[in-house]
Amino acid sequence: MASFLQWRKGFPGLLWSICQRESRIKVFTRWRDAGFDAPQLLKNAAFRKNAVMEQDYPLLVEFWDMIHAGRPAAVIFRLKHDDGRKPLILQGWPQPEQDVYSGFLKEAYLPGGYNSACYNAQLKMRLGDADYPVFTVDLENQTLYDANRAAQELFLGEEQAVRALVLDDVVPQSLMKGFSAAMEKAVERDAWSGKLLLGNGERGLFSAHVRLTLWGESGKEVVRVALVNVDAKPPKLEEDGALALCTEELRPALEKLHNLCEPEVDGLMLSHIQMGSGRVAVYGVGSAFNSLEWGTLHAYEGTIAQDIQRYSLSSLIVEDTLDSVKSIDWALFAPLGIRSYFAKPFYAEHGLHAVLILAAKRQRGFGADAEAMYADVAAAFGQLMLRWRSF
């Protein structure tokens, strides 16, 4: 053990682990001469986007997909600040029995440096070592580019060994408009998540929770399509404006709920899940959310709702947003000075409908007893959601 601690102390990079259900990262070493904020690169998706060279950024997106899928992964990438002179390697592996994903970040020592051959080899990660269906679409030609075995089997069945998958096998022309709109949003935002209808005449139509990611391959604009979860039958997708009919009644109702909370709760938020468009709308009351625009929209990707669905959680507590790897924590909560929160999901016939979020401006504002402590608030919130649904 002593020798391991000595080795860890002298490790020339970062050793880290992520508690997946809580999206919480822990860093075990200090990389003093990194030349950039290495811990922030692991925590903050917006920081990664600004720091990493554009053609390498999709590789990092793929790495995070592999974390969520519980797969070993490695990626080599370059940073803008040194014009890519010192490539970095990020490598990790799952520890399922502990719900932990561990890894390291350090300088990559490559014979001959980082060149196009290395980049092209990494593009093979595009489909990933995933047991869920993944395929890519060339936007310019509107054609299916490549697909993994799970996608072939899902859409073609026994034919998968006979011919290659084409776009018409995946999206009928009657649904192509919605599919294309989702791909355009992925181009705008680098990623899009939501429910889409897919299928063909032989397979039949079905809905799936889909994650679309832009791949900036040289000379091409490619979108990676990952079917993270396939539903047994098409859902009744909720209209985005389903709750907008009575928003004037919402603020006083949420303020009344906030008054039921302990004084230590600095804000209460409703996160309305709009799965059909891959967005969430947020409505906050209390001092913590005084500066938040009413009904602000965020991409579903990287939200509390996504983690709740991914791990089938009955509730979620984040002890410190500054140790989080969820993009919503860095885009929304941390800038408002919110350091911890308790989140409780609520469902309707179409699936996850809303999330109640209680926020505090201090670390560890909510303990393991939060669900019991705020049961009355949650129950009243659930009744409010039922009344809202009736409009």
Side-chain angles (χ1 to χ4, degrees):
M1 179 60 72
S3 60
F4 171 76
L5 294 176
Q6 185 86 11
W7 175 84
R8 189 177 76 176
K9 184 177 180 181
F11 185 78
L14 286 187
L15 295 172
W16 51 269
S17 69
I18 293 174
C19 179
Q20 292 184 274
R21 286 178 179 268
E22 299 174 13
S23 292
R24 186 182 73 246
I25 192 168
K26 184 175 183 179
V27 176
F28 300 99
T29 57
R30 296 183 180 182
W31 193 3
R32 299 184 186 279
D33 58 349
F36 66 100
D37 191 336
Q40 193 74 345
L41 185 80
L42 295 176
K43 295 177 182 180
N44 191 341
F47 183 90
R48 286 195 293 275
K49 174 64 175 173
N50 291 329
V52 176
M53 297 188 77
E54 286 85 356
Q55 58 266 55
D56 295 356
Y57 178 71
L59 303 174
L60 244 58
V61 174
E62 173 69 18
F63 186 89
W64 254 257
D65 266 359
M66 292 297 99
I67 290 179
H68 296 317
R71 302 281 185 172
V75 57
I76 297 172
F77 61 95
R78 297 164 293 173
L79 300 179
K80 295 176 182 177
H81 79 91
D82 66 353
D83 295 323
R85 288 191 297 270
K86 293 183 178 180
L88 303 177
I89 182 169
L90 183 61
Q91 187 166 347
W93 52 92
Q95 297 173 265
E97 67 281 357
Q98 300 179 33
D99 189 35
V100 167
Y101 197 97
S102 302
F104 65 81
L105 171 67
K106 64 185 289 292
E107 189 174 341
Y109 298 98
L110 300 174
Y114 190 101
N115 54 37
S116 59
C118 180
Y119 175 68
N120 290 336
Q122 285 197 86
L123 282 177
K124 293 180 181 178
M125 288 180 64
R126 184 170 49 212
L127 295 181
D129 179 25
D131 54 7
Y132 48 82
V134 180
F135 58 91
T136 59
V137 177
D138 184 330
L139 288 185
E140 181 180 357
N141 300 318
Q142 288 288 294
T143 56
L144 195 142
Y145 196 56
D146 51 12
N148 69 357
R149 179 177 293 274
Q152 290 277 126
E153 292 176 349
L154 175 66
F155 291 101
L156 294 181
E158 294 180 358
E159 289 186 19
Q160 66 91 14
V162 178
R163 66 177 180 87
L165 196 65
V166 297
L167 197 56
D168 285 344
D169 296 320
V170 174
V171 190
Q173 287 301 314
S174 60
L175 299 176
M176 186 58 71
K177 183 178 179 180
F179 184 75
S180 297
M183 289 197 294
E184 289 171 5
K185 290 173 184 175
V187 173
E188 292 172 9
R189 309 170 187 169
D190 298 311
W192 181 92
S193 287
K195 290 272 189 176
L196 288 176
L197 276 177
L198 301 171
N200 54 49
E202 185 172 329
R203 170 64 172 81
L205 293 182
F206 61 92
S207 67
H209 177 77
V210 180
R211 186 179 190 277
L212 306 180
T213 309
L214 176 65
W215 279 83
E217 185 177 354
S218 178
K220 293 182 181 293
E221 200 166 55
V222 175
V223 171
R224 177 183 187 270
V225 184
L227 277 59
V228 180
N229 188 43
V230 176
D231 293 332
K233 59 182 180 179
K236 297 177 181 178
L237 294 180
E238 179 182 4
E239 293 294 329
D240 290 351
L243 303 187
L245 296 174
C246 53
T247 50
E248 69 278 2
E249 302 176 17
L250 180 60
R251 189 184 294 275
L254 293 181
E255 288 175 343
K256 183 177 180 180
L257 289 181
H258 184 225
N259 291 336
L260 296 176
C261 298
E262 298 291 328
E264 293 82 3
V265 176
D266 298 303
L268 181 148
M269 173 179 282
L270 157 66
S271 176
H272 169 216
I273 316 306
Q274 302 176 2
M275 193 62 75
S277 61
R279 302 182 299 179
V280 300
V282 295
Y283 305 86
V285 296
S287 60
F289 299 119
N290 282 341
S291 60
L292 181 66
E293 183 180 351
W294 191 249
T296 299
L297 291 170
H298 291 272
Y300 172 82
E301 181 72 19
T303 59
I304 296 168
Q306 186 182 44
D307 270 9
I308 284 174
Q309 287 201 307
R310 178 180 289 139
Y311 300 113
S312 302
L313 303 178
S314 62
S315 64
L316 173 66
I317 292 175
V318 167
E319 295 182 340
D320 192 343
T321 56
L322 299 186
D323 287 335
S324 175
V325 293
K326 283 200 301 297
S327 57
I328 195 68
D329 290 345
W330 291 95
L332 175 58
F333 296 112
L336 294 177
I338 294 168
R339 296 295 297 275
S340 61
Y341 58 77
F342 164 73
K344 177 74 176 174
F346 291 83
Y347 295 85
E349 69 276 5
H350 59 81
L352 183 60
H353 170 55
V355 179
L356 166 67
I357 302 165
L358 305 182
K361 291 188 174 182
R362 67 191 188 286
Q363 301 176 46
R364 300 177 181 84
F366 303 91
D369 60 346
E371 194 155 359
M373 181 177 295
Y374 298 104
D376 291 346
V377 178
F381 182 87
Q383 290 301 311
L384 175 62
M385 292 300 97
L386 288 175
R387 291 202 302 274
W388 238 20
R389 290 285 299 163
S390 66
F391 280 82

